[in-house]
Amino acid sequence: RAQGVAQTPSARALAAFVVDRSFRRQAMPLLIEELNEEAPPEEGFRFHWMPDARFGSFGSDKVQPLLDKWGFGPDMAMCSFRVEQPVTPDTLQAMLDDFFKDRGVLAALAQVTPGIRVLNPPRVRVQWERMSTKAVSMSFLNKFEEAGAIGKSGHIRGRIEEEVEGVPINNLIREVILCEESELYDAFSEQDRKEFLFRIFSHLIFGGASNQWEDHVEEYFRVTKEVYKDLLSARRTDTGDVDVVSHVASIRSLGAGGQLFPKESPLNFCYVIVDPLMRHVRVWYFGYRPFW
């Protein structure tokens, strides 16, 4: 877990996700606030917003209505930037710090989401967790069915509703994801829960404050695939395997320099995904806002 970030059990549990498909985009693994020993470029990393970037999920005619239905609305953002310098796993910490200090980046983010506020850029120190991208098939999510959370027809099995930190647990998928005390929680290991695919699916399941959830899982699976393809870059190896080349950072805090979310919630998320080959940086963000 990222150093210096206090997380409740439910927040830790919610931080876990997963997807499939022969795509052409995808990333790499593990966790922490990383202290980078390798010096960044002398002038720092430089970024350029790509305002015309389009996605198959966010903003698309087929998927955006579902994102709105699930309560994400204007509080979710997905956008792309280009970074001039090469980014490696060893320089990712320095790149993230420069990213959230960059005036052009901050101006662009302010246009797409009101949640991120950087008041003192020199004091920004990004705390983050590295996500794994080993899971590249939707079959990874079959464990929900094996645990009994999803019926063979795709029906999501309900349960008596309770709240955990203000999050309604009204079906068995949510119980598997969030309730550490449940016997169903062990359907996914702690390493499974660091898979970006698992994270995507989980975020879609929980949605936002005005979530009108689905009774069947198919739409969640479909949108999970689209988000995964939009954010990650992958290539085929000589053996035919999928090799994810992107680096995925789950951002936990901006340190003393700024505020990442408008309100603390286990439903918040912010990911920065770097394609080191194309030198593209993608951001997927949601800042939860309650009704009251």
Side-chain angles (χ1 to χ4, degrees), residues 162-272:
E162 65 174 312
E163 284 200 354
V164 177
E165 291 193 9
V167 179
I169 307 300
N170 51 15
N171 63 52
L172 294 185
I173 291 183
R174 291 184 172 212
E175 182 174 324
V176 169
I177 295 170
L178 196 56
C179 298
E180 292 190 48
E181 72 283 358
S182 169
E183 61 183 14
L184 300 181
Y185 187 83
D186 291 336
F188 290 88
S189 68
E190 290 306 312
Q191 185 58 44
D192 288 340
R193 292 167 182 274
K194 295 169 187 172
E195 289 291 340
F196 191 45
L197 180 56
F198 181 85
R199 296 294 185 92
I200 295 170
F201 178 74
S202 299
H203 291 315
L204 297 177
I205 285 289
F206 282 98
S210 60
N211 189 357
Q212 302 172 57
W213 47 77
E214 309 291 331
D215 293 327
H216 287 75
V217 77
E218 286 80 5
E219 295 286 40
Y220 295 118
F221 282 163
R222 180 171 69 85
V223 177
T224 297
K225 290 181 184 181
E226 293 300 326
V227 171
Y228 197 70
K229 289 186 295 176
D230 279 340
L231 296 179
L232 298 181
S233 299
R235 60 189 174 189
R236 288 282 179 183
T237 65
D238 292 341
T239 59
D241 296 328
V242 174
D243 177 30
V244 175
V245 299
S246 303
H247 310 303
V248 182
S250 175
I251 310 302
R252 299 303 189 201
S253 167
L254 301 181
Q259 175 180 296
L260 193 57
F261 302 110
K263 179 181 176 63
E264 287 299 319
S265 170
L267 302 185
N268 291 330
F269 60 84
C270 179
Y271 296 97
V272 175

Side-chain angles (χ1 to χ4, degrees), residues 22 55 57-58 70 76 85 89 94 96 126 138 146 153 175 178 192 198 231 236 250 252 265 279 282 287:
S22 332
F55 304 97
S57 58
F58 180 82
W70 298 338
M76 175 185 282
Q85 297 83 359
L96 290 171
V126 178
M138 287 299 290
E146 294 165 5
S153 66
E175 182 174 324
L178 196 56
D192 288 340
F198 181 85
L231 296 179
R236 288 282 179 183
S250 175
R252 299 303 189 201
S265 170
R279 295 188 186 176
R282 298 182 181 95

Side-chain angles (χ1 to χ4, degrees), residues 14-243:
L14 183 56
F17 305 78
V18 79
V19 124
D20 141 349
R21 149 145 197 193
S22 332
F23 33 52
R24 299 188 174 109
R25 330 168 79 175
Q26 270 78 1
M28 287 205 32
L30 267 124
L31 72 104
I32 54 203
E33 183 212 347
E34 303 198 339
L35 295 176
N36 175 33
E37 301 299 335
E38 181 177 327
E42 286 187 12
E43 298 180 5
F45 289 90
R46 295 181 297 276
F47 306 91
H48 303 276
W49 184 28
M50 301 167 64
D52 296 327
R54 296 291 178 265
F55 304 97
S57 58
F58 180 82
S60 73
D61 292 339
K62 292 184 178 180
V63 172
Q64 188 60 48
L66 286 170
L67 296 177
D68 292 339
K69 178 183 178 183
W70 298 338
F72 292 112
D75 299 311
M76 175 185 282
M78 189 179 287
C79 53
S80 292
F81 299 81
R82 181 173 57 83
V83 57
E84 290 187 8
Q85 297 83 359
V87 181
T88 68
D90 290 335
T91 61
L92 191 51
Q93 176 73 62
M95 191 228 78
L96 290 171
D97 288 339
D98 285 349
F99 185 76
F100 285 102
K101 293 176 183 177
D102 187 279
R103 290 186 177 182
V105 168
L106 296 177
L109 293 177
Q111 290 189 44
V112 297
T113 175
I116 300 175
R117 298 176 61 199
V118 174
L119 304 177
N120 191 343
R123 299 188 67 189
V124 166
R125 176 61 174 174
V126 178
Q127 296 180 1
W128 58 286
E129 180 179 10
R130 193 186 299 270
M131 296 289 96
S132 175
T133 55
K134 292 180 180 178
V136 295
S137 169
M138 287 299 290
S139 62
F140 178 81
L141 297 178
N142 288 348
K143 295 177 183 181
F144 283 106
E145 183 176 337
E146 294 165 5
I150 300 173
K152 293 193 178 299
S153 66
H155 178 73
I156 299 172
R157 290 185 170 141
R159 50 156 286 173
I160 297 175
E161 182 172 328
E162 65 174 312
E163 284 200 354
V164 177
E165 291 193 9
V167 179
I169 307 300
N170 51 15
N171 63 52
L172 294 185
I173 291 183
R174 291 184 172 212
E175 182 174 324
V176 169
I177 295 170
L178 196 56
C179 298
E180 292 190 48
E181 72 283 358
S182 169
E183 61 183 14
L184 300 181
Y185 187 83
D186 291 336
F188 290 88
S189 68
E190 290 306 312
Q191 185 58 44
D192 288 340
R193 292 167 182 274
K194 295 169 187 172
E195 289 291 340
F196 191 45
L197 180 56
F198 181 85
R199 296 294 185 92
I200 295 170
F201 178 74
S202 299
H203 291 315
L204 297 177
I205 285 289
F206 282 98
S210 60
N211 189 357
Q212 302 172 57
W213 47 77
E214 309 291 331
D215 293 327
H216 287 75
V217 77
E218 286 80 5
E219 295 286 40
Y220 295 118
F221 282 163
R222 180 171 69 85
V223 177
T224 297
K225 290 181 184 181
E226 293 300 326
V227 171
Y228 197 70
K229 289 186 295 176
D230 279 340
L231 296 179
L232 298 181
S233 299
R235 60 189 174 189
R236 288 282 179 183
T237 65
D238 292 341
T239 59
D241 296 328
V242 174
D243 177 30

